[in-house]
């Protein structure tokens, strides 16, 4: 309220748009599995998808063959699109993204139907996702990729080397106890332990009238 309003002279001055601007939709074709969720949920029916099935041979001998969907056509008619973003939200494999680009006006309405090649070009204008919080968990895609890389590195690592020759020689030089020593120790009689409750032998008492034994003393 304290400043005068300034009008940006578009197109000489490009607007500074936020990264989540709903400009145009980009397609990441590698993630598309032709599940048709985006086409079914689109309220304007402006998404056109064609595909065919291919048989994938068994990965292991005796395994079962599988079939997969192969994308033939993916097109969006932006003359009908109302930019609700439902197709991007319902995509379970992150194949559709918002791009802030909005300068794709055409003189012919038929040129507003972008095929998959054109939609792929818009992917280069999609901004990077915001950084995670410092205490946030690692995305499961990165964690899975890291575990797979660690597993492959462990498989390609060389086997553990044998102990060094010096250590083997040192172990061989250590003297070993002969077998006879242990046998001698076991053959020695063990001292008898006193029986609990037994009385100790009393010293012999002198007989009355018997002469006392002479004690040796200095002459």
């Amino acid at each position: 309220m304290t400043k005068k309003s300034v009008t940006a002279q578009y197109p000489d001055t490009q607007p500074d748009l936020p990264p989540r601007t709903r400009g145009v939709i980009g397609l990441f074709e590698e993630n598309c599995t032709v599940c048709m969720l985006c086409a079914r949920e689109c309220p304007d029916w402006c998404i056109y998808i064609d595909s065919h099935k291919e048989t994938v041979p068994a990965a292991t001998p005796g395994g079962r063959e599988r079939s997969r969907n192969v994308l033939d056509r993916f097109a969006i008619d932006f003359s009908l699109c109302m930019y609700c973003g439902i197709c991007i939200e319902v995509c379970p494999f992150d194949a559709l993204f918002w791009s802030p680009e909005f300068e794709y006006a055409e003189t012919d309405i038929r040129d507003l139907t972008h095929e998959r090649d054109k939609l792929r070009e818009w992917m280069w204008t999609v901004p990077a996702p915001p950084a995670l919080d410092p205490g946030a968990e690692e995305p499961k895609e990165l964690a899975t990729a890291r575990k797979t890389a660690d597993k492959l590195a462990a498989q390609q690592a060389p086997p553990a080397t044998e102990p060094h020759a010096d250590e083997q020689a040192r172990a061989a030089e250590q003297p070993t106890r002969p077998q006879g020593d242990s046998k001698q120790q076991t053959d020695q009689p063990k001292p008898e332990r006193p029986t609990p409750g037994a009385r100790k032998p009393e010293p012999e008492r002198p007989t009355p009238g018997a002469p006392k034994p002479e004690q040796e003393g200095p002459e």
Side-chain angles (χ1 to χ4, degrees):
M1 296 175 62
T2 59
K3 296 181 181 179
K4 295 182 179 181
S5 59
V6 178
T7 302
Q9 301 298 324
Y10 177 83
D12 297 335
T13 303
Q14 293 292 328
D16 187 11
L17 301 175
R20 296 183 63 182
T21 299
R22 298 184 178 186
V24 70
I25 299 174
L27 171 66
F28 192 59
E29 185 177 344
E30 285 76 2
N31 288 356
C32 182
T33 59
V34 200
C35 64
M36 305 292 291
L37 280 177
C38 55
R40 291 185 209 149
E41 298 295 334
C42 179
D44 295 332
W45 294 88
C46 63
I47 300 177
Y48 311 104
I49 300 176
D50 294 333
S51 64
H52 69 279
K53 289 188 176 182
E54 290 184 356
T55 302
V56 180
T60 57
R64 186 181 63 179
E65 295 182 349
R66 299 181 181 274
S67 61
R68 65 174 182 178
N69 295 325
V70 180
L71 184 65
D72 293 331
R73 184 195 182 197
F74 195 108
I76 299 178
D77 188 356
F78 287 102
S79 64
L80 298 177
C81 179
M82 65 179 188
Y83 303 93
C84 62
I86 294 178
C87 58
I88 297 176
E89 294 178 2
V90 300
C91 181
F93 302 104
D94 292 337
L96 298 174
F97 297 87
W98 279 119
S99 169
E101 296 293 330
F102 61 93
E103 298 177 328
Y104 52 93
E106 302 289 348
T107 57
D108 190 349
I109 193 174
R110 292 173 294 183
D111 295 336
L112 285 176
T113 301
H114 294 183
E115 299 292 337
R116 64 177 184 176
D117 295 337
K118 184 66 175 179
L119 296 175
R120 180 60 182 267
E121 294 179 1
W122 292 122
M123 278 298 303
W124 299 106
T125 62
V126 175
L132 298 176
D133 295 336
E137 296 181 358
E138 185 180 30
K140 61 180 181 180
E141 295 84 2
L142 296 180
T144 304
R146 184 172 288 102
K147 289 181 181 179
T148 304
D150 295 343
K151 186 177 180 180
L152 293 177
Q155 293 177 355
Q156 297 176 358
T161 57
E162 297 181 356
H164 198 268
D166 297 342
E167 297 180 1
Q168 294 181 355
R170 192 180 301 108
E173 292 176 358
Q174 292 181 357
T176 57
R177 178 180 295 178
Q179 298 180 358
D181 295 349
S182 60
K183 186 177 182 181
Q184 290 177 2
Q185 294 177 1
T186 56
D187 293 343
Q188 291 180 358
K190 297 181 180 180
E192 296 181 358
R193 296 182 179 179
T195 307
R199 298 179 61 183
K200 297 182 179 180
E202 298 180 356
E204 296 182 359
R205 296 181 179 181
T207 307
K212 296 180 179 180
E214 298 180 357
Q215 295 181 355
E216 297 182 357
E219 295 180 358

